[in-house]
Amino acid sequence: MTIAEVVPSLLSGLDVPGADNTLGLPPARRVVLLLVDGLGHELLRAHAGHAPFLAGLAPRQIDAGFPSSTATSLASVGTGLLSGEHGIVGYTFAVGDEVLNSLTWSRAGDHHHDLRKTLVPEVVQPHPTVFERAAAAGVAVSAVAPIAHRGSGLTRAVLRGSWFRGAAGFGDLALGAVAGVEQDRSFCYAYHPDLDAIGHLYGPGSPEWLLQLEFVDLLASRIAARLPSGSLLVVTADHGMITADEKIDFDTEPQLWQGVRVIAGEPRVRYLHTTSGEVLDVWREFLGTRAEVLTREDAVDAGWFGPVSPLAADRIGDVVVAMNDSAVVLRSQAEPMWTAMNGFHGSRTRQEMAIPLLVHQA
């Protein structure tokens, strides 16, 4: 059971053709899907006392898919596909000669270089979205997310088909979600980013993170309390998070450079585009048990990405590095923003991959 099945399962209750309820969710004519960035199943279970409303719902879990990264999971929510098909294979990945930062839709390392004209979002992710299919079937589809996300490359790539409502904070996010299901046959996707941001800065489970979790719990409960009778609120996430206790710096380890033409991904999962067949052995020897280091073919054969299309295969890289335990591969010079952070995600551990699927019926 994966995040890609969530929206199709919910749309089945709204009579959308081709939408199968593979997750067995309760059918409803008005549905709010609240996605809390960074709310891992393991984290919620460990800190249930700080989230009484969410913890009081039946504790079901599903998989985020790989890599367990925001853009990848949001694309899976929006398309009903896993990364190997929709092609948004991580935080950064190579598309032709460019390395795309999929969150900012800019050149990796240069947030001011907007790539929406050269890497057109609807071409980078060409599959129809589940929101487009729902809207075509007559469902009132809306998305409530931070104002800055309006018209962004990622929004265009994975949320197209929904009417966008910008939110500035908890208040208008909650009221926007409720307004999105005022009419019969309506679906609202609501996204909250701050728990993830706090987790990156201070670490998941830190005092700052726990207080933010309390606020998130209040957000969910306030939405639930205002929903029309018969509505469904489903709460999920895009990934969990780990606290890093070992930081490896690619930029200061020359032996890791040899044969690497392009390095993409993020600290917990790296894609290496190579000019030498020795890269695999060098990285395996250097990282040892700290990572799973596979060729692209082996990672694909192992099912890491689900079914893989040619579109996605070219973006994955010749070598895939998935970190174990709590080690990360940073780039102190090329990606300085990561070096001071404590929380990370993207790899294949249960802490990162397991996400909640919580259902409240109004």
Side-chain angles (χ1 to χ4, degrees):
M1 297 183 293
T2 71
I3 194 172
E5 299 169 77
V6 173
V7 177
S9 292
L10 292 170
L11 293 181
S12 68
L14 292 162
D15 303 324
V16 175
D20 295 325
N21 192 0
T22 57
L23 296 180
L25 296 173
R29 306 277 291 183
R30 305 166 195 251
V31 178
V32 172
L33 174 63
L34 172 63
L35 190 145
V36 179
D37 199 323
L39 182 64
H41 170 79
E42 299 291 328
L43 286 168
L44 180 58
R45 188 172 68 170
H47 304 291
H50 292 268
F53 174 76
L54 294 175
L57 302 175
R60 188 175 178 184
Q61 64 171 303
I62 57 174
D63 276 353
F66 178 80
S68 51
S69 194
T70 298
T72 299
S73 290
L74 298 192
S76 294
V77 167
T79 63
L81 305 170
L82 293 173
S83 62
E85 291 185 285
H86 62 59
I88 306 296
V89 297
Y91 171 66
T92 71
F93 54 89
V95 183
D97 295 329
E98 292 279 12
V99 177
L100 172 69
N101 181 320
S102 56
L103 287 185
T104 60
W105 218 264
S106 61
R107 181 176 294 158
D110 181 6
H111 289 189
H112 300 291
H113 193 101
D114 191 337
L115 295 177
R116 282 178 293 179
K117 291 183 178 179
T118 53
L119 295 180
V120 178
E122 295 82 358
V123 175
V124 173
Q125 195 301 100
H127 296 278
T129 70
V130 288
F131 304 128
E132 288 175 308
R133 290 177 10 219
V139 176
V141 183
S142 58
V144 186
I147 293 170
H149 293 189
R150 184 190 303 275
S152 73
L154 186 61
T155 295
R156 284 171 50 186
V158 308
L159 297 182
R160 56 182 183 265
S162 61
W163 182 79
F164 187 92
R165 183 192 300 262
F170 282 109
D172 54 353
L173 177 64
L175 293 179
V178 174
V181 292
E182 287 179 344
Q183 66 188 77
D184 186 48
R185 292 191 76 215
S186 53
F187 178 92
C188 180
Y189 163 78
Y191 169 79
H192 181 66
D194 293 352
L195 188 70
D196 175 75
I198 293 291
H200 280 301
L201 286 171
Y202 300 100
S206 64
E208 295 85 356
W209 189 92
L210 292 173
L211 187 54
Q212 188 67 33
L213 177 61
E214 294 177 14
F215 292 146
V216 165
D217 193 66
L218 284 170
L219 169 68
S221 69
R222 295 301 186 268
I223 293 174
R226 287 168 169 77
L227 287 176
S229 178
S231 301
L232 196 68
L233 170 64
V234 176
V235 182
T236 190
D238 48 353
H239 54 73
M241 189 174 285
I242 60 98
T243 299
D245 63 10
E246 184 177 7
K247 297 182 177 181
I248 300 154
D249 188 357
F250 174 85
D251 290 344
T252 60
E253 294 286 355
Q255 60 181 303
L256 296 181
W257 306 348
Q258 298 178 24
V260 176
R261 178 174 56 86
V262 173
I263 177 172
E266 58 192 287
R268 286 287 288 173
V269 54
R270 290 295 184 181
Y271 296 135
L272 310 177
H273 297 262
T274 67
T275 59
S276 165
E278 298 176 358
V279 171
L280 182 74
D281 291 335
V282 169
W283 279 69
R284 278 180 173 170
E285 182 177 357
F286 184 89
L287 292 175
T289 60
R290 295 176 292 184
E292 294 177 272
V293 183
L294 272 62
T295 64
R296 172 176 54 218
E297 292 74 20
D298 286 345
V300 169
D301 288 345
W304 285 12
F305 302 91
V308 176
S309 67
L311 175 86
D314 289 341
R315 301 172 182 178
I316 290 171
D318 303 300
V319 174
V320 182
V321 181
M323 304 304 292
N324 293 326
D325 302 322
S326 53
V328 293
V329 176
L330 301 172
R331 299 200 62 192
S332 59
Q333 296 171 38
E335 301 169 353
M337 60 169 279
W338 289 113
T339 57
M341 291 189 177
N342 291 294
F344 298 88
H345 54 81
S347 196
R348 290 168 32 82
T349 69
R350 296 312 302 160
Q351 290 91 338
E352 294 159 280
M353 290 273 285
I355 54 175
L357 185 65
L358 309 173
V359 176
H360 169 80
Q361 294 178 279

